[in-house]
Amino acid sequence: MSKINNDLLKKLLETFGPSGNEEAIRDVIKEEIKGYVDEIKVDALGNLIGIKKGKGKKIMVAGHMDEIGIMVTNIDENGFIRFTSIGGVSPFTELYQRVMFADGTLGVVGMEKLDDMKDLTLSKMFIDIGAGSKEEALKKMNVGDVACFYGPFVQNDDYIMSKALDDRIGCYIAIEALKALKNCPNEVYFVFTVQEEVGLRGARTSAYGIDPDMGIAIDVTSTGDTPKCKPMDMKMGSGAAIKVKDNSVLAHPEVKKLMIETAKENNIPYQLEVLEAGGTDSGAIHITRSGVPSGVISVPCRYVHSPSEMVSVKDVESAIELLCKVLEK
């Protein structure tokens, strides 16, 4: 299996794309896959669908394009910006971090004076873009504008750090698997979904339109390998994770079995994942229409929903290989 394509991964990770604002990242992915699929379409909600035609089962592979972000709710007379969250944004993760708006404007997240940090909430916070007045700030943005974390791609040996690894790494895995597929008997719909972070919305509508025989989501999962963290049998560098359960899905027994057997047959390192909080696009896919047998291939990720998410190159490579071998069955 080839090594990581850093140029592609950097482009995917650093492109702007909070939930509901996926146009730029969709264009990047569309350009990347256009020579490898038989058909490309964008549905009404904005999901990008690349179809690799075949005579076998209809398989849907979903990785979400969107990332968490914030939205401007108010600009005060001094040019400071109040905001709300788009997806799971923690005030403690956000504090003193830089955020980037669609036009490239950067700001830093500050807070009001607090006597106790446990009282920190998003309502006590603001974004400072260096504007001296409301009029100056309004030249760059308005209420309803959105921003994402500013966290450039960094690779340190086997570790990759960046904002938006959730879930651009899933998009990367799907793209690389799509390029590597050689003898696939199935008809595969590679779906790069929108609005996952705000309720699995793109997966729900695209799965309804595709009506697949099987669904596979590609996403990140938490780890249990940092000091005194919540116990979880999941380690970076130990292989792709095959999901058993999360809050959105109980992986279908046959799909889970297929993934485990495929990993064993091909000597692909894997782990079994039980995630006690959170979910993936599979949560929406499996209850579409009359039901879709579904599973998830996950990448162990530290510091999820922060500007410095971290994954292992080894796990990414394992996930690409596992996805390819499953689709070729």
Side-chain angles (χ1 to χ4, degrees):
M1 188 60 60
S2 61
K3 295 297 181 183
I4 293 293
N5 181 340
N6 280 356
D7 291 339
L8 172 58
L9 189 52
K10 177 181 173 68
K11 191 185 300 182
L12 292 173
L13 291 168
E14 295 185 359
T15 297
F16 181 87
S19 304
N21 296 264
E22 298 93 351
E23 297 87 352
I25 184 62
R26 182 171 61 233
D27 288 345
V28 169
I29 297 173
K30 187 176 182 180
E31 184 67 23
E32 192 67 27
I33 69 171
K34 66 181 183 182
Y36 297 93
V37 292
D38 299 302
E39 183 182 344
I40 294 179
K41 58 185 178 180
V42 177
D43 70 12
L45 208 64
N47 300 294
L48 175 64
I49 305 171
I51 307 168
K52 203 168 181 70
K53 294 184 177 178
K55 296 180 179 179
K57 297 283 188 179
K58 192 188 292 185
I59 313 296
M60 175 175 170
V61 175
H64 69 88
M65 297 184 288
D66 62 314
E67 60 187 306
I68 58 170
I70 60 94
M71 179 179 287
V72 177
T73 59
N74 175 262
I75 303 172
D76 72 17
E77 293 306 311
N78 295 312
F80 292 102
I81 298 158
R82 299 290 181 160
F83 62 93
T84 189
S85 62
I86 301 174
V89 177
S90 163
F92 298 99
T93 302
E94 188 90 7
L95 184 60
Y96 303 132
Q97 299 291 343
R98 284 174 286 181
V99 294
M100 181 178 70
F101 289 84
D103 65 355
T105 297
L106 294 175
V108 63
V109 179
M111 70 173 187
E112 301 170 4
K113 183 182 181 301
L114 295 176
D115 293 325
D116 194 326
M117 280 296 289
K118 72 176 178 13
D119 296 325
L120 181 65
T121 61
L122 293 183
S123 65
K124 302 287 186 183
M125 302 170 76
F126 54 85
I127 297 170
D128 183 353
I129 61 168
S133 65
K134 183 172 185 175
E135 291 72 25
E136 191 177 341
L138 283 169
K139 292 176 182 177
K140 294 186 176 181
M141 65 192 59
N142 212 328
V143 170
D145 284 357
V146 301
C148 62
F149 283 130
Y150 178 74
F153 164 86
V154 176
Q155 183 168 355
N156 184 11
D157 297 326
D158 182 52
Y159 295 148
I160 294 167
M161 293 168 276
S162 177
K163 62 96 171 171
L165 279 163
D166 178 13
D167 182 36
R168 304 288 168 72
I169 199 65
C171 295
Y172 174 83
I173 289 165
I175 292 168
E176 292 299 290
L178 169 58
K179 292 176 179 178
L181 275 181
K182 302 300 181 190
N183 301 305
C184 182
N186 302 303
E187 181 156 288
V188 187
Y189 289 70
F190 288 87
V191 186
F192 302 90
T193 62
V194 298
Q195 299 190 41
E196 189 269 359
E197 296 289 3
V198 290
L200 318 181
R201 297 171 187 174
R204 181 171 290 110
T205 59
S206 56
Y208 188 94
I210 294 167
D211 193 16
D213 297 305
M214 180 188 295
I216 300 173
I218 314 294
D219 213 325
V220 299
T221 187
S222 300
T223 69
D225 59 357
T226 56
K228 297 185 178 180
C229 66
K230 179 180 175 64
M232 183 182 182
D233 195 20
M234 188 62 48
K235 296 180 179 179
M236 271 180 50
S238 294
I242 296 171
K243 191 180 292 289
V244 178
K245 171 194 180 295
D246 62 27
N247 273 0
S248 71
V249 69
L250 290 162
H252 192 281
E254 290 303 314
V255 179
K256 181 178 65 179
K257 180 182 177 184
L258 171 64
M259 291 179 177
I260 292 171
E261 288 180 349
T262 302
K264 288 179 176 178
E265 288 167 5
N266 294 279
N267 296 313
I268 301 170
Y270 76 95
Q271 310 173 68
L272 294 178
E273 174 207 353
V274 177
L275 183 65
E276 294 184 64
T280 73
D281 278 339
S282 191
I285 296 167
H286 84 286
I287 52 173
T288 297
R289 292 184 183 258
S290 58
V292 180
S294 300
V296 184
I297 298 174
S298 303
V299 178
C301 181
R302 295 176 185 164
Y303 324 120
V304 175
H305 282 200
S306 82
S308 302
E309 296 172 334
M310 180 186 289
V311 301
S312 162
V313 170
K314 294 176 186 174
D315 297 337
V316 175
E317 292 173 341
S318 296
I320 295 168
E321 187 175 6
L322 179 57
L323 179 57
C324 281
K325 296 299 183 183
V326 167
L327 293 177
E328 288 171 354
K329 278 200 163 185

